[in-house]
């Protein structure tokens, strides 16, 4: 019922910045929207999430202080501002949403019903 469209991935030098966006259409507003990433040979890992109502934010320890998640509910868009990028941040980044997910499950990718197609972020040293 919900379609997610991502943009903003690309190639950047270490220390640089990128901003990813995720725009939703159809269905109802999700309770939470999350960003996950997956590198080759690695499991999909939680990056950040934001609550639609109230704007509460959550971050993986590995990105705290460097990444910022924000949203514009009018545009149904969630952003991930990534600063001070490191080669270890290289991965395919996915946007995920679910209208009924609860706070205790937001770090678990299996709990999300809707996913974007993924966008590649490559950070060179």
């Amino acid at each position: 019922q919900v379609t997610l469209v991502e943009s903003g991935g690309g190639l950047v030098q270490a220390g640089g910045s990128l901003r990813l966006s995720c725009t939703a259409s159809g269905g109802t507003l999700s309770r939470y929207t999350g960003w996950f990433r997956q590198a080759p040979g690695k499991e999909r890992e939680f990056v950040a999430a934001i609550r639609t109502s109230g704007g509460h934010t959550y971050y993986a320890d590995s990105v705290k202080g460097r990444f910022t998640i924000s949203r514009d509910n009018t545009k149904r868009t969630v952003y991930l501002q990534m600063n001070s990028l490191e080669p270890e941040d290289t991965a395919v980044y996915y946007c995920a949403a679910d209208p009924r997910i609860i706070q205790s499950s937001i770090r678990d990718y299996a709990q999300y019903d809707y996913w974007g197609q993924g966008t590649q972020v490559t950070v060179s040293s």
Side-chain angles (χ1 to χ4, degrees):
Q1 292 182 326
V2 177
T3 299
L4 304 177
V5 179
E6 300 171 327
S7 63
L11 174 65
V12 66
Q13 294 288 125
S17 299
L18 287 172
R19 189 175 78 160
L20 307 182
S21 64
C22 173
T23 300
S25 61
T28 61
L29 291 176
S30 61
R31 181 172 294 174
Y32 292 90
T33 301
W35 287 97
F36 293 79
R37 66 187 183 186
Q38 187 167 20
K42 303 293 185 180
E43 295 184 349
R44 189 168 300 185
E45 66 173 339
F46 172 79
V47 176
I50 187 167
R51 185 178 179 180
T52 301
S53 177
H56 305 283
T57 58
Y58 310 85
Y59 296 95
D61 289 342
S62 60
V63 306
K64 284 183 178 179
R66 299 188 299 120
F67 291 9
T68 302
I69 188 169
S70 61
R71 86 285 187 273
D72 184 334
N73 288 344
T74 300
K75 298 180 179 179
R76 298 188 67 181
T77 298
V78 173
Y79 305 95
L80 184 67
Q81 178 67 46
M82 305 185 294
N83 298 327
S84 301
L85 284 163
E86 304 168 354
E88 292 74 20
D89 296 315
T90 296
V92 177
Y93 283 69
Y94 298 91
C95 175
D98 194 286
R100 295 186 291 178
I101 193 168
I102 60 176
Q103 187 274 332
S104 60
S105 299
I106 59 173
R107 297 173 183 266
D108 182 2
Y109 68 86
Q111 302 301 312
Y112 290 83
D113 288 339
Y114 306 108
W115 292 85
Q117 78 286 352
T119 185
Q120 178 71 46
V121 172
T122 302
V123 184
S124 61
S125 60

